[in-house]
Amino acid sequence: MLFKSVVALAAAASAAFGLPTAPPPPAGGVDANATAPPPEYVAMSDFDFQSLNLALNQEWIELDLFHYGLARFSPEEFEAQGIDAEQQHLIEFMANQEVGHSTLLSNILQGRGAKQCKYRYNFETVQEFVQFCAILTRFGESGVYGFLSHLDSRPAATLLLQSITTEARQQMIFRQFAGAFPMPVWFETGISQAMAWTLLSPYLIECPAENPRIEWPIFPTLNIQNNPNLTADGFQSAVSTNRTAFVTPNTTELYFEYDAPGKNVSYNNSYTTVVGANVTSEVPTHCVYINQLNATSVPYNATGNNTGSCIVPGGVVFGDDGIVNGTMFVGLFQNPPFVTPYNLSKLNDFIVAGPAVFVAG
């Protein structure tokens, strides 16, 4: 009623001056009208704090990684990959973007978030550096998509959205630097905070004592023994290419090995890996391939202790947009439920190992 009165008074005032006035906005929406309180860009729950602090840890490693790669390899080594001086400057600019992203999240967390850590990287060449950047930015981007719409703080979600859209561009650029087709999907996928932390945690080796503990679980490590490799064929940097996918749906079989739970991992070995709350055996029943709008389950074939395989599934999202493509995710599960993008975190309770990043195309 108050809102209608304000609109009526404003319309009357404009009419008195002979000005055409805008009609009232459509009904509905959250904090979208003239009577909404000023936004507070802060965490409003422990869920918010833990989600945003995880995202801050992701931004810190990206800032370090981009600088590290530029220092580790010579300009000539980059140029041999087709990454010239101007493109090397783009990597430096992306590092500067991470300064902004980490400052933004630190401010939202009011100085109580993580500080930068020391990191472990497993690449030896420019090609491997570029592929690692494509993988890291993929699970960083997808990790935010998974929780963004669940934050209690809608103002903080708005700022984080404006940050993560930049990271989406970074992920595409690193695929271009690797000579891969830059965006072979119609939709970008989201994963849960626990999945993102499982993927990030191996690269943190030492963190400041005051860093808040990350309260999301870490699941056992999953390795894809025959994971396709962006560096295998020596592709040169390219704006776009017309290469086929690395796998054939319904035909290619992926082979896995995975750790048992209970292993001390991440910085200072201060975390312990666990399985999902509904898991009763270390033997999975299914692989779940997570990409675009789909979480596709296929039967798991055990081949030994903590080893097995799964067929890569077929299927499409819409039209001829295949589910399996790009830099995607696969994990091992025990009797996983049906999920959709908004409730994908329900899968956490059924994880045996993973996820791993699957370089499908």
Side-chain angles (χ1 to χ4, degrees):
M1 191 69 182
L2 175 62
F3 175 59
K4 289 184 178 179
S5 299
V6 171
V7 171
L9 288 171
S14 297
F17 289 100
L19 300 175
T21 60
V30 178
D31 295 337
N33 59 47
T35 62
E40 294 185 71
Y41 296 99
V42 296
M44 295 181 177
S45 64
D46 191 41
F47 180 93
D48 284 8
F49 182 89
Q50 289 294 336
S51 300
L52 295 167
N53 187 57
L54 175 61
L56 177 56
N57 274 276
Q58 179 77 30
E59 304 297 357
W60 281 131
I61 192 174
E62 289 166 0
L63 171 59
D64 183 84
L65 171 65
F66 301 162
H67 281 149
Y68 175 82
L70 289 170
R72 166 80 182 273
F73 303 109
S74 68
E76 292 75 21
E77 288 175 290
F78 277 103
E79 289 165 6
Q81 173 63 17
I83 302 173
D84 62 21
E86 291 183 348
Q87 293 169 327
Q88 292 169 50
H89 176 73
L90 176 55
I91 298 175
E92 178 65 31
F93 187 80
M94 288 192 285
N96 293 339
Q97 290 173 331
E98 300 308 330
V99 173
H101 298 172
S102 57
T103 301
L104 172 75
L105 287 169
S106 295
N107 290 345
I108 292 173
L109 295 172
Q110 299 176 301
R112 298 183 295 118
K115 306 300 188 294
Q116 197 161 21
C117 300
K118 294 181 180 178
Y119 306 102
R120 176 190 296 111
Y121 303 123
N122 57 0
F123 49 78
E124 299 296 333
T125 67
V126 168
Q127 283 184 313
E128 292 171 349
F129 161 66
V130 166
Q131 176 168 266
F132 183 77
C133 288
I135 289 172
L136 188 85
T137 51
R138 159 52 63 229
F139 63 72
E141 176 190 352
S142 293
V144 169
Y145 293 153
F147 71 73
L148 194 59
S149 59
H150 295 283
L151 289 174
D152 291 294
S153 175
R154 291 174 182 268
T158 296
L159 296 187
L160 185 54
L161 175 63
Q162 292 176 268
S163 164
I164 208 63
T165 50
T166 299
E167 190 154 324
R169 291 164 170 80
Q170 293 176 351
Q171 206 271 334
M172 187 184 79
I173 286 168
F174 282 115
R175 285 184 59 88
Q176 290 175 308
F177 284 165
F181 191 81
M183 45 179 182
V185 292
W186 292 5
F187 304 93
E188 303 301 340
T189 193
I191 57 175
S192 70
Q193 297 97 324
M195 294 177 189
W197 179 220
T198 296
L199 290 164
L200 173 63
S201 60
Y203 305 110
L204 280 64
I205 59 173
E206 184 179 336
C207 292
E210 66 268 25
N211 274 17
R213 183 174 178 82
I214 297 172
E215 297 296 344
W216 306 107
I218 300 176
F219 300 115
T221 297
L222 173 65
N223 291 309
I224 306 172
Q225 295 172 297
N226 59 330
N227 203 354
N229 194 322
L230 290 174
T231 70
D233 295 318
F235 297 155
Q236 290 283 294
S237 173
V239 171
S240 188
T241 59
N242 190 23
R243 297 190 173 98
T244 58
F246 297 137
V247 297
T248 304
N250 297 320
T251 300
T252 300
E253 190 168 10
L254 293 187
Y255 296 92
F256 303 99
E257 59 180 1
Y258 61 96
D259 290 345
K263 185 176 181 180
N264 294 330
V265 295
S266 199
Y267 63 90
N268 304 327
N269 285 328
S270 55
Y271 297 83
T272 303
T273 58
V274 297
V275 296
N278 291 338
V279 172
T280 59
S281 165
E282 291 182 22
V283 180
T285 62
H286 293 81
C287 294
V288 177
Y289 292 81
I290 303 170
N291 202 34
Q292 303 205 69
L293 307 181
N294 296 56
T296 307
S297 176
V298 299
Y300 174 79
N301 173 42
T303 58
N305 291 331
N306 295 57
T307 62
S309 66
C310 282
I311 292 292
V312 174
V316 297
V317 184
F318 300 117
D320 62 354
D321 177 31
I323 294 168
V324 175
N325 212 340
T327 315
M328 54 181 290
F329 305 94
V330 60
L332 304 185
F333 294 79
Q334 194 170 89
N335 302 313
F338 175 80
V339 296
T340 59
Y342 190 70
N343 68 349
L344 186 129
S345 62
K346 287 178 64 176
L347 287 175
N348 288 350
D349 287 342
F350 302 85
I351 292 182
V352 176
V357 176
F358 172 29
V359 184

